[in-house]
């Protein structure tokens, strides 16, 4: 009977959020293929539907677990919390319920961790916290993470699931976080510190149009919605339906806006060689400068 | 002249004054006895309407169809304007203009959104809503300016970056992000002036300055009041009522520390006396350029970094573990 059910035109930004904390009960219908699957099956499979390969939002804790070496993560700034600087109606309650839902003060986790033994500064936006939107705290923590990467000379790796873009409830203060985070990334580029950006579904508006788009290498998860203006806004503006696959990772890859689409289970296998490529010569050059001789720099010894 | 809804009481008096003046001139007679009281009435009416504007009325003034745009300002305050075109990759986006000119004794680079004066021009300029190539043109000219140590002045007046299929295809988000990154590292003074609408990312993309100024009736917002109402209240038509709580008018932004100075407009708004408005803009530009020109390129970059680095309102909670039930946010 599924053939006549109204398929939503866009994959569900709102729904993924609600269904992320898999409902009680063992069985459920997949949001995409509408087949019965068990919650346990999804969980074991990196929150990807084993039937249709649909990507659910990966909860932050599991993102950290799947990305970093076990036990290597050490969190920064976990106690930074938002105020309601504009006295925006309903914002206090919104923050509080997001805090209760996620058990954290704000919509991003940052820290230091290792990937296959390589230390990195790591950050991941929490889609469950007001849609991964960027207010003052998210902007501040991204900026601090970048400044730490610069200070400690470590690569920066940020996973964006920023469907909410710049958080409206903090108004212009949110918009300014775009400039602030981008300026911090500019410092990394100036000093040759690698910044890897992984974009997961969905990432729009102010997050997509600032640090997430500024990676030296930009990776994306399959079929992630990535763009500036939301599909609904565009449809209203131009008054016609959008082509299928519009603003998805595959579309962005074709248009030259991202580097690689990486399957979720494969992320460490891509990050590791990238870090090696982008980081090894820095140390070789340092060694050469120290020794003051003409040892070869660009060839990896013993490779 | 076109009249907004709340300006309409002015129309009758102004047309009467104009009729009398034309009549007096054509017949060569003195009607100043009749005209003078009308003028006094007009000025008290202006006072009445414009000294207590609501945020929504200011938004409407910022969008006034007769409001001066970037090219109007240049006409009043700039010499030797040479417009430059194109992003060198795709096309010339006329929603943003760019070029070099002289303001006072300063050679400066100009980047500005440009709306149209009529329908034809608005179509050509896409109502001041840039595509990625517009932002990339801006970036190209700003980088060129920095190479030749030319200060950069930007005129911000756009409802926002254009939300369309082609804009997304060509990387609207990337074009904006890249501008934010590049502008933060240019070693020349950058002064940004919100002359009308400061529409979200499309405004910020040319808005990373050492100084950010705003005209009295300009607004600068994370999104348009219409979009905010649509998302938060699920009703676009409530834009007027939500515009106040968004804190987007010049005095709000000054209080929040997000703009450095409010440039005054003549009573009744910039469109009632574009020349005087332009003069105020020019004075502000020169004053800030005088201030900034004592800084070295590195100091300018550091000054700009700090300006945006300090923006944001938050607090450090006592405990790292969440005891949210007792934690009060918003204190």
């Amino acid at each position: 009977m599924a053939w006549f059910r109204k398929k939503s035109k866009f994959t569900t930004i709102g729904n993924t959020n609600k269904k992320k904390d898999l409902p009680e009960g063992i069985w459920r219908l997949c949001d995409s293929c509408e087949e019965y699957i068990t919650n346990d099956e999804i969980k074991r499979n990196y929150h990807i539907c084993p039937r249709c390969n649909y990507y659910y939002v990966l909860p932050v804790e599991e993102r950290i677990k799947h990305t970093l070496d076990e036990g290597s993560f050490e969190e920064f700034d976990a106690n930074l919390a938002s105020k309601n600087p504009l006295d925006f109606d309903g914002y206090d309650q919104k923050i509080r319920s997001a805090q209760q839902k996620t058990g954290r003060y704000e919509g991003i986790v940052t820290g230091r961790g290792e990937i296959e033994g390589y230390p990195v500064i790591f950050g991941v936006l929490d889609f469950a916290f007001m849609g991964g939107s960027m207010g003052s705290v998210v902007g501040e923590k991204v900026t601090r993470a970048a400044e730490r990467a610069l200070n400690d000379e470590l690569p920066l790796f940020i996973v964006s699931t920023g469907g909410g873009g710049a958080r409206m409830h903090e108004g212009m203060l949110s918009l300014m976080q775009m400039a602030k985070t981008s300026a911090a990334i500019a410092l990394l580029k100036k000093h040759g510190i690698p910044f890897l950006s992984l974009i997961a579904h969905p990432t729009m508006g102010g997050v997509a149009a600032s640090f997430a788009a500024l990676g030296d290498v930009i990776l994306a998860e399959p079929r992630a919605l990535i763009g500036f203006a939301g599909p609904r806004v565009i449809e209203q503006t131009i008054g016609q339906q959008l082509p299928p696959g519009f603003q998805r990772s595959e579309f962005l890859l074709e248009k030259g806006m991202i580097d690689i689409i990486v399957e979720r289970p494969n992320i460490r296998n891509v990050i590791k060689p990238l870090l090696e490529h982008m980081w090894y010569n820095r140390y070789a050059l340092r060694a050469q400068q120290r020794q003051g001789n003409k040892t070869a720099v660009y060839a990896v010894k013993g490779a | 002249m076109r009249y907004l809804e709340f300006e309409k009481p002015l129309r009758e008096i102004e047309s009467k004054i104009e009729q009398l003046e034309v009549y007096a001139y054509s017949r060569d007679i003195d009607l100043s006895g009749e005209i003078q009281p009308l003028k006094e009435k007009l000025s008290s009416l202006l006072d009445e309407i414009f000294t207590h504007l609501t945020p929504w009325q200011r938004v409407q003034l910022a969008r006034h169809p007769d409001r001066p745009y970037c090219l109007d300002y240049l006409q009043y305050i700039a010499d030797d304007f040479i417009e430059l075109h194109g992003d060198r990759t795709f096309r010339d986006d006329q929603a943003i203009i760019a070029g070099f000119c002289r303001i006072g004794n300063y050679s400066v680079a100009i980047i500005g959104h440009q709306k149209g004066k009529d329908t034809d021009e608005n179509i050509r300029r896409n109502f001041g809503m840039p595509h990625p190539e517009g932002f990339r043109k801006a970036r190209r000219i700003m980088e060129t300016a920095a190479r030749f140590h030319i200060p950069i002045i930007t005129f911000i007046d756009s409802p926002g970056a254009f939300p369309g299929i082609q804009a997304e295809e060509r990387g609207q988000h990337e074009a904006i992000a890249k501008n934010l990154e590049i502008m933060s590292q240019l070693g020349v003074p950058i002064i940004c002036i919100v002359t009308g609408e400061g529409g979200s990312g499309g405004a910020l993309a040319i808005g990373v300055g050492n100084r950010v100024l705003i005209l009295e009736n300009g607004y600068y917002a994370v999104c348009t009041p219409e979009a905010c109402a649509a998302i938060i209240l699920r009703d676009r038509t409530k834009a007027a009522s939500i515009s106040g709580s968004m804190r987007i008018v010049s005095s709000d932004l000054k209080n929040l520390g997000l703009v450095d100075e409010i440039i005054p407009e003549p009573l009744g708004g910039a469109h009632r006396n574009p020349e005087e408005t332009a003069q105020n803009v020019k004075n502000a530009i020169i004053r800030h350029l005088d201030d900034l020109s004592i800084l070295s390129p590195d100091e300018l970059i550091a000054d700009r970094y700090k300006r945006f680095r300090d923006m944001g309102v938050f607090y450090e909670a006592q405990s790292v573990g969440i005891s949210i039930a007792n934690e009060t946010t918003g204190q």
Side-chain angles (χ1 to χ4, degrees), chain A residues 13 91 106-108 125-139 142 160-179 181 199-212 225-231, chain B residues 173 180 200-201 204 221-223 231-232:
Chain A
I13 295 179
Y91 186 38
E106 256 294 338
I108 186 171
L125 285 170
D126 187 355
F127 187 72
F129 198 108
M130 296 187 73
S133 57
M134 177 161 65
S136 294
V137 173
V138 172
V142 168
S160 299
T161 319
R167 191 179 295 168
M168 249 164 257
H169 310 75
E170 290 185 33
M172 280 297 287
L173 287 162
S174 296
L175 193 76
M176 291 302 139
Q177 304 309 313
M178 293 168 64
T181 54
I199 309 181
H201 176 78
T203 295
M204 307 297 292
V207 175
S210 62
F211 62 91
L225 186 73
I226 304 165
F228 182 66
Chain B
H173 68 288
L180 306 180
S200 190
L204 185 63
V222 66
C223 61
I231 291 165
I232 299 220

Side-chain angles (χ1 to χ4, degrees), chain A residues 9 43 61 79 100 112 114 122 173 177 185 204 211 224 249 255 274 281 290 296 303:
Chain A
K9 253 181 293 169
K43 231 178 171 163
E61 287 74 16
N79 63 338
Q100 268 152 4
R112 184 186 186 280
E114 291 178 7
F122 181 71
L173 287 162
Q177 304 309 313
I185 301 300
M204 307 297 292
F211 62 91
S249 308
K255 299 292 174 190
L274 268 177
N281 286 354
R290 262 200 313 275

